Amino acid sequence: AQGFAIVGNRLWRYFGYDFHSYKLNSVAAGADPMATANWSATLNVGDGYLSISDMIAYEDQLALGLPKGLYMGDQTGTFVNVLGELEGQVNADNCRDLSIHEGKIIVPTVAGLFAYEGGGGVARVRQIMPTSLSNKSPVQGMVRATKSFGGWLYAGLYTGSQSYLLAGQERGEGFIWHTLTRFPHITKPHRLHFDGISIARGGTSN
């Protein structure tokens, strides 16, 4: 298997063959996951060619990131692409590092950074950072990795030649972003991880 996620009382996994990981199934809590017979029937997600890039649990739903969009599952085992605008912008970097921030799924794509919010029977998707900002900052490009920590959303952004770490907070209907640092090496961010932030190291107390 390429990835696992726990949703409700089930362990889900995605897997595939010949580098195409688009198959999905699950096993109930308490059942032996080493026994093949305990796994559910296999579901095929997407077009059967594009691989699942990431998987995350969200409010008792399973969310899947694919190069074509963000697929949200329901109780019938149906997965619907809630980012249909990516249909014409298929890219391996789309939806490759999903995270949860303040009750929203954060979705990096080549078309910008998006936030998906469900609940109350109403789903909402909105862009929280475009790939081309309206200001003249040189720090513009694609966010490839995100992490929520201490009320802030951190983003690893790649301009095409340099990588930067940004931090954002929601203000009203939008996010305010701050550039924290430029990474010393020319490389694309893949994952963000925090061990901790202290006041002595320049962090904040809240």
Side-chain angles (χ1 to χ4, degrees), residues 88-101:
Q89 301 183 67
V90 177
N91 191 288
D93 282 333
N94 284 339
C95 313
R96 58 167 296 278
D97 186 36
L98 305 176
S99 63
I100 303 294
H101 175 72

Side-chain angles (χ1 to χ4, degrees), residues 30-98:
D32 182 4
M34 302 303 292
T36 302
N38 289 335
W39 288 87
S40 68
T42 299
L43 302 173
N44 293 332
V45 180
D47 56 13
Y49 177 76
L50 295 173
S51 294
I52 297 170
S53 303
D54 201 5
M55 179 169 65
I56 196 169
Y58 177 73
E59 295 185 352
D60 291 328
Q61 283 185 283
L62 189 63
L64 303 174
L66 278 81
K68 192 178 285 187
L70 178 68
Y71 288 72
M72 299 299 300
D74 61 22
Q75 294 181 349
T76 68
T78 301
F79 285 82
V80 177
N81 187 2
V82 297
L83 269 177
E85 52 263 50
L86 294 182
E87 293 276 352
Q89 301 183 67
V90 177
N91 191 288
D93 282 333
N94 284 339
C95 313
R96 58 167 296 278
D97 186 36
L98 305 176

